[in-house]
Amino acid sequence: MNNNYMGLANLVKKPIRKTTTKVYEPKKVWLTVGQKDQPIFIMVVISLFLFGAIGLRLGYLQIVEGDKYSLKADSNRTKIIPKPPVRGNLFDRKGRILGATKLSHSAYLWPVVQKKENWLQIRTMLANILNIPEDKLQELLEKEGYDSPTLVRIARNLTPQQITAIEENRDILSEVEVDTDTVRYYPQGKVGSHILGYTREINGEELKARQNEGYRMGDVIGKMGAEAGFESELRGEWGGILMERDGSGKVIRKLGIKEAKAGNDVTLTLDLELQKVAEKALGDRKGAVVALDPRDGAVLSMVSYPAFDPNIFSGRITEQIWQEVQGKGNPFINRALVGFPPASTFKIVTATAGMESGKYSPSTVLPTYAYLRVGGTAFGEWNRSGFGPMGFVSALAWSSNTFFGQIGNGVGGETLIKWSRNYGFGSKTGIEIPEESGGLIADQEWKQKRFNWDWTVGDTVNMSIGQGFTLATPLQVAVMFAVPANGGYKVIPHLYQDKATYLKKRESLNLKPQTVNTLREGLRAVITRGTGGKVALSGVAVAGKSGTAEAPPGKSHAWFGGYAPYDKPEIVVVAFVEHSGGGGGSTAGPIVRQVLEAYFQNK
């Protein structure tokens, strides 16, 4: 066979190879590290780990914490200069200034730039210049927070010497700023201090309670009296200036400004001249005087002694100053709003309960005695002999204990308690001053809870003459006198000048005309032929009632309440002298007379 064919045949016999696409995978290469290469390998691994950790941290800071650090950066380049509002003024009813605002200088600190190593030196220097304890400065800074861009007021009412000292030490006190500020000023000093109150910078506890009302550190708030009662009207709204600073701390530009909004002025019902007369009449005796308009309840005067000068709160109060003020017989207690036994002034309520109950007519006549024995207890007549037969008018004129003891016993405790509360005793009157007490009208429930004893007939008789558990404030007693004066209406005593509104708010006690007339005749007889002769005025008819309250172990309290003119009353005046030891007519009566006399002379 031809060799060419033989080769072709052999070729045919060989298997034919299929053509396919092969996918190659990368081979796994294992690095074999020799002993000499181990240090290099370890360094590579550590470097990779460190760079990975740094990358993760940078990502966390940028994504998760970015807003926080952006805000901190803004705090370092900006600062807020707060601008406090000007507090509204307080005026008396004739437009005379009672509480105002005057310019002063305050020191401010910028917390965000205070470094702890520098702060100790700054704090020590400020404490010496401003006469403020270092721990107080520390507390102010920590309350605002070291990251705060807002200037914190650390001292008010700076003296020229303090301002000079700060400027002379600018190399250390570069972040302490002195700026104009306002402080409360009371041009009348102690006059009307309890009715006006005072202002003070808000403390931590108050701030926590009032944060939802928009208060912040550095706010000045009313602490008592009208300043506290009219806080929302007087306070105003804070403003401020947002400033940008460069790296060196120099101000570059203003970024924004919000004008502070001044508070509203408030005109009070108080009559400044009458207030001064009432304070002079009471003198240096512990007690209170209240004068109000019986037609609508407008308070014309409210005095409490001892008093205080509210201007002391416009500056820093040292321990020595505070001890001196506190050592003058609790001057921050407004005795016009504190409860005391009302004594015989309360017989107006007992007479009302007797006549309105239907058990005793206005013409009732009862015998009186040297003492009235009830339940084993003897209630003595103040003249120790009795007055003979008496009706309501004479019993009021001479303040017979045994007459009104019989009336109270006759109507019973429940009726007497009901009429006590109808007159407003046992609850707050509604005046805008927050520190008012409601006094006390006790009953069976109260006595059981307090002493685990039942109410007795003796308790009722004691209440009928204004003694026992009964406590009434001088303001409540004035509201009581307004009822017979205005023909039977209970008024809401108030300081806000708004006669029309309060005329609508007065409440009728629905007294019978005969009851009102009998009360008025009896109160007039007190002046013309009874215990209040020293209150009589020339040319103006006065009506009133005296009271002398037992107050063991101390001396007795003296009361007198009166109104005038008798036929068309315009003013009620109540005077109370604590532990005077004298009778109501002879001790408190002349005080009422002086106030009434001044009122009508000024007219």
Side-chain angles (χ1 to χ4, degrees):
M1 185 178 291
N2 192 307
N3 287 333
N4 290 332
Y5 289 101
M6 285 293 292
L8 181 61
N10 291 334
L11 182 63
V12 172
K13 287 181 182 179
K14 290 181 180 181
I16 300 173
R17 186 167 53 191
K18 294 180 180 179
T19 303
T20 60
T21 303
K22 188 173 182 179
V23 179
Y24 289 92
E25 296 180 2
K27 292 181 179 180
K28 294 180 180 179
V29 180
W30 295 96
L31 179 65
T32 303
V33 181
Q35 189 173 357
K36 293 181 180 180
D37 299 326
Q38 284 182 359
I40 297 172
F41 171 72
I42 292 170
M43 289 178 66
V44 170
V45 172
I46 291 173
S47 297
L48 288 172
F49 176 77
L50 289 175
F51 281 117
I54 291 170
L56 288 171
R57 180 61 179 166
L58 287 172
Y60 173 79
L61 292 175
Q62 185 173 0
I63 297 169
V64 179
E65 297 272 313
D67 289 343
K68 173 183 173 182
Y69 285 95
S70 175
L71 181 62
K72 190 168 184 178
D74 285 342
S75 296
N76 286 327
R77 73 178 182 86
T78 63
K79 71 173 180 178
I80 300 170
I81 301 177
K83 293 297 179 182
V86 176
R87 194 170 178 85
N89 296 311
L90 290 170
F91 296 97
D92 88 332
R93 67 193 298 116
K94 296 179 181 177
R96 292 169 290 205
I97 286 282
L98 301 174
T101 299
K102 68 176 182 178
L103 289 177
S104 70
H105 288 86
S106 291
Y108 296 86
L109 195 64
W110 194 26
V112 76
V113 299
Q114 303 304 323
K115 296 179 181 178
K116 289 191 177 180
E117 58 268 24
N118 298 335
W119 167 239
L120 295 178
Q121 183 183 14
I122 293 170
R123 187 180 69 189
T124 301
M125 183 171 286
L126 283 174
N128 290 331
I129 293 173
L130 302 175
N131 193 26
I132 297 174
E134 287 192 46
D135 58 348
K136 178 65 175 177
L137 290 170
Q138 187 67 36
E139 181 185 350
L140 289 170
L141 188 65
E142 290 178 353
K143 277 182 180 178
E144 189 66 33
Y146 284 95
D147 292 335
S148 174
T150 303
L151 288 171
V152 179
R153 182 169 52 204
I154 55 174
R156 307 179 71 202
N157 221 12
L158 299 184
T159 65
Q161 293 81 6
Q162 289 172 325
I163 296 171
T164 301
I166 291 173
E167 296 301 327
E168 287 177 346
N169 290 279
R170 272 295 168 203
D171 54 331
I172 298 173
L173 304 179
S174 59
E175 297 304 333
V176 176
E177 298 201 16
V178 175
D179 200 358
T180 55
D181 197 0
T182 58
V183 294
R184 204 60 165 164
Y185 173 60
Y186 302 92
Q188 305 300 328
K190 291 184 178 182
V191 176
S193 59
H194 291 93
I195 202 169
L196 297 178
Y198 64 93
T199 62
R200 195 73 177 145
E201 197 165 306
I202 196 168
N203 60 40
E205 186 178 334
E206 291 165 333
L207 180 61
K208 187 176 179 181
R210 306 185 76 161
Q211 244 171 351
N212 293 336
E213 301 173 45
Y215 285 89
R216 44 155 289 170
M217 284 303 296
D219 263 332
V220 171
I221 63 171
K223 292 285 190 175
M224 65 179 284
E227 292 282 18
F230 298 108
E231 169 67 16
S232 59
E233 288 87 352
L234 294 167
R235 64 176 289 207
E237 294 179 11
W238 277 77
I241 304 173
L242 182 63
M243 311 292 288
E244 184 177 9
R245 298 164 65 112
D246 62 16
S248 66
K250 183 180 178 181
V251 172
I252 302 173
R253 58 175 174 157
K254 291 180 182 178
L255 297 177
I257 183 168
K258 179 188 175 185
E259 297 291 345
K261 183 180 177 182
N264 296 320
D265 293 339
V266 174
T267 298
L268 303 179
T269 57
L270 192 72
D271 185 313
L272 178 59
E273 292 305 317
L274 197 66
Q275 178 75 17
K276 290 179 178 179
V277 169
E279 293 191 10
K280 185 178 179 181
L282 181 61
D284 59 0
R285 294 171 287 185
K286 279 188 178 181
V289 179
V290 174
L292 58 77
D293 186 332
R295 296 165 293 188
D296 67 344
V299 175
L300 306 175
S301 171
M302 182 183 288
V303 177
S304 179
Y305 185 87
F308 62 93
D309 186 350
N311 288 302
I312 65 172
F313 293 99
S314 295
R316 182 172 171 269
I317 301 177
T318 64
E319 185 67 25
Q320 181 182 353
I321 292 173
W322 184 248
Q323 291 301 326
E324 287 176 1
V325 174
Q326 283 286 77
K328 296 179 180 178
N330 298 318
F332 297 102
I333 294 176
N334 187 345
R335 286 168 168 79
L337 303 178
V338 174
F340 300 93
S344 293
T345 62
F346 197 78
K347 290 169 182 175
I348 293 173
V349 175
T350 307
T352 303
M355 289 183 279
E356 289 295 312
S357 70
K359 292 187 175 181
Y360 300 95
S361 72
S363 59
T364 295
V365 174
L366 296 175
T368 61
Y369 311 95
Y371 60 88
L372 183 67
R373 186 174 293 279
V374 177
T377 301
F379 295 88
E381 190 63 83
W382 65 267
N383 71 350
R384 302 183 182 183
S385 59
F387 296 96
M390 281 187 146
F392 278 105
V393 172
S394 295
L396 284 168
W398 291 105
S399 197
S400 170
N401 289 336
T402 58
F403 178 92
F404 286 104
Q406 293 175 78
I407 298 292
N409 188 23
V411 299
E414 287 188 12
T415 299
L416 191 57
I417 290 167
K418 182 188 99 171
W419 278 102
S420 301
R421 291 174 176 163
N422 286 350
Y423 267 90
F425 293 106
S427 59
K428 295 183 178 182
T429 65
I431 194 169
E432 301 94 335
I433 300 178
E435 56 268 22
E436 179 187 16
S437 163
L440 175 64
I441 294 297
D443 55 16
Q444 167 73 10
E445 182 182 354
W446 178 89
K447 193 178 178 187
Q448 273 284 350
K449 187 176 180 180
R450 184 69 181 269
F451 300 109
N452 197 28
W453 296 342
D454 288 330
W455 188 265
T456 66
V457 176
D459 294 325
T460 302
V461 173
N462 237 347
M463 177 182 280
S464 69
I465 56 175
Q467 294 283 172
F469 304 120
T470 306
L471 298 175
T473 71
L475 182 61
Q476 288 175 328
V477 173
V479 170
M480 176 191 70
F481 273 100
V483 173
N486 65 30
Y489 293 90
K490 185 179 72 173
V491 296
I492 298 176
H494 58 277
L495 295 172
Y496 192 74
Q497 184 82 305
D498 187 356
K499 189 178 184 73
T501 297
Y502 283 95
L503 277 172
K504 293 176 184 176
K505 287 185 175 182
R506 65 183 193 170
E507 176 189 349
S508 174
L509 296 189
N510 297 313
L511 302 180
K512 301 169 188 173
Q514 298 94 324
T515 300
V516 175
N517 291 337
T518 303
L519 291 175
R520 288 171 61 87
E521 288 175 20
L523 297 178
R524 176 62 180 149
V526 169
I527 308 298
T528 58
R529 56 186 175 93
T531 59
K534 290 187 176 182
V535 187
L537 291 179
S538 175
V540 180
V542 180
K545 182 74 189 75
S546 62
T548 305
E550 295 177 5
K555 295 178 180 179
S556 59
H557 303 315
W559 289 89
F560 199 93
Y563 61 83
Y566 168 69
D567 56 343
K568 198 174 182 181
E570 299 176 16
I571 182 173
V572 166
V573 181
V574 170
F576 167 78
V577 184
E578 185 178 343
H579 295 303
S580 69
S586 59
T587 302
I591 298 172
V592 172
R593 185 184 189 281
Q594 289 180 56
V595 177
L596 290 174
E597 192 171 47
Y599 175 84
F600 290 106
Q601 283 180 351
N602 288 339
K603 286 190 67 178

